[in-house]
Amino acid sequence: MDKEDLKLTSAEIGTLWGEYINGTAVDIVNKYMISIIEDEKIKLLFEDAIKIFDKQKSQIRQFIENQGFPVPVGFTESDLNIGTKRLFSDIFCLHYLHTMTLHGLLGHSTSLSSSVRRDLRHFYDSCTNEGMNMYHRTTELLLEKGHFQRDPYFYPEENPEFVSGQQFIDGFFGNKRPLAATEIIAISLNLKKKIMEKSLSIGFSQVTQSKEVRKFLESTQNTSDQQIQSLSKILKGDNLPVPMSWESEVTTSTDSPFSDKLMLYHIGFLLQSAQSYHGAGLASAMRVDLVTTYEKIILKNLMVTKEWFNLMTKNKWLEQPPLAPNRKEIAKDK
């Protein structure tokens, strides 16, 4: 069957819709950051990131319009205030681009796994390739500037080992075994995401105009900090280094470069994205104390996300994705 004869499925429309909303939010932040960045190498990366998404946005619009669905509003220039005081350092901007590139790669791979139509699969292939290229470039520049935080090193054992007893999963009492390399992957990644989430919450809380939004952002700062401390404590228990924080890369500006809608949405996007990383961490955890830590983090994030949802809907800032037909309501109309 020719690709034009295949209608997009609900999953394909849903992924396109999500890619558009999340992409336009990050794009607005990128456009602000490029306006304040002084380092030419960092600025070049942002210029390319903006050009890449501009092309992707046009393609997403075309996919959606060709199926007769309304294109989401997402985030536009009306959510951006160019000319405001600097809120973030150049290095923080580079870390932001690196982190959002990782989020984008995860989103593209998820979207690809939900896609059947050939042209849509090829689109996500190109998005993934562009994302991987940007990941390499941001990594290389962070390494060049001495700001890439590498994970802990291990010393090799002489021979492979096999799990020999219950003590492998014990974590509350007695002698806890050291963390496994497979567990450190998730701990390190979750810590880095939480550090970005906390730093953005600090910056956004300084500049938001809404008292309700500020209160929520201050609450997310505290939640992120508690979760950072919980995960850091586990690493420190094995005398392993923890990633450094980025709070000092946020200035003291109170001049808002973004709409309250964008800032609140962005933190919600990070909270929801983090749940997949927490879930992966839980799945890889084989020590009881680590399992319990992830369970507490996931539960707390669900509660915070509910508060976020209520605040977004109260302000009529949350766009509704395409819904399945309501057959009961259709039947009533007859």
Side-chain angles (χ1 to χ4, degrees), residues 108-155:
H108 300 327
S109 61
T110 301
S111 296
L112 176 61
S113 67
S114 302
S115 301
V116 176
R117 220 170 76 172
R118 185 187 307 156
D119 55 346
L120 192 56
R121 285 187 280 116
H122 288 175
F123 168 67
Y124 286 127
D125 278 344
S126 68
C127 290
T128 299
N129 290 334
E130 289 163 340
M132 288 191 295
N133 181 53
M134 184 59 69
Y135 171 77
H136 289 306
R137 293 174 66 190
T138 54
T139 300
E140 289 295 331
L141 192 51
L142 283 167
L143 285 168
E144 178 184 317
K145 294 183 176 296
H147 278 271
F148 191 90
Q149 300 185 62
R150 304 196 66 178
D151 297 326
Y153 290 99
F154 274 10
Y155 292 96

Side-chain angles (χ1 to χ4, degrees), residues 162-174:
F162 290 85
V163 176
S164 59
Q166 180 69 25
Q167 67 271 19
F168 190 83
I169 64 172
D170 288 340
F172 286 123
F173 308 106

